[in-house]
Amino acid sequence: MTVGEMLVATVPMARTLNLDFLETTAERAVVRLPDQAEYHNHVGGPHAGAMFTLAESASGAIVIAAFGDQMSRAVPLAVKAEIGYKKLAMGEVTATATLGRPIAEVVAQLDAGERPEFPVAIEIRRADGAVTGEMTVVWTLRPNS
């Protein structure tokens, strides 16, 4: 099962929004939100909450791809998120997530008994390539007791 398939199977909100996990690697996650009238806002584009969920889902996908081998000893948790809406989004939108710290550095902190935190940067783009939003989610790997 791919990371995207796993997230769709285990995260009800990803299924609800019909998110399409196009790429899920430790270097990059790309997730698409189809244009769906039931998730539009008052101007006919994707609702801000749907775009937030899209971007957060992309961040979760890269975290699972990058740190999936650590799941037996730590749980990934989002610590905080900040989003900025830059331009009007219309139609389908795609979120691209990248890790803000090297994987080895994060794992070294975990190995040292610490609870590492690391940022994931996400860009949300319209089909024409224009950036409509930017988000940062800070994640942690909480060691199992």
Side-chain angles (χ1 to χ4, degrees):
M1 184 179 284
T2 67
V3 170
E5 290 168 341
M6 183 196 66
L7 287 170
V8 168
T10 60
V11 179
M13 194 62 169
R15 281 193 312 276
T16 297
L17 290 178
N18 300 306
L19 298 182
D20 186 14
F21 291 81
L22 304 175
E23 180 181 341
T24 52
T25 68
E27 291 76 38
R28 188 169 97 133
V30 181
V31 183
R32 182 177 64 87
L33 173 66
D35 185 24
Q36 301 166 92
E38 61 270 30
Y39 303 116
H40 281 177
N41 58 21
H42 62 290
V43 293
H47 189 278
M51 289 193 296
F52 183 99
T53 300
L54 167 69
E56 194 276 341
S57 297
S59 77
I62 198 168
V63 169
I64 297 299
F67 301 107
D69 61 341
Q70 304 300 318
M71 296 302 152
S72 63
R73 66 183 185 139
V75 176
L77 298 169
V79 175
K80 62 183 174 181
E82 183 176 332
I83 192 166
Y85 301 100
K86 306 293 182 184
K87 289 186 178 185
L88 183 62
M90 297 299 282
E92 74 175 37
V93 289
T94 303
T96 302
T98 55
L99 283 176
R101 287 182 61 197
I103 295 168
E105 187 179 287
V106 174
V107 172
Q109 271 192 278
L110 191 60
D111 289 342
E114 298 174 27
R115 184 175 170 166
E117 288 190 0
F118 52 94
V120 175
I122 307 101
E123 280 191 341
I124 304 168
R125 292 181 182 271
R126 297 186 304 225
D128 68 1
V131 175
T132 63
E134 295 174 334
M135 183 174 185
T136 301
V137 180
V138 176
W139 286 82
T140 188
L141 296 179
R142 185 193 73 200
N144 297 335
S145 301

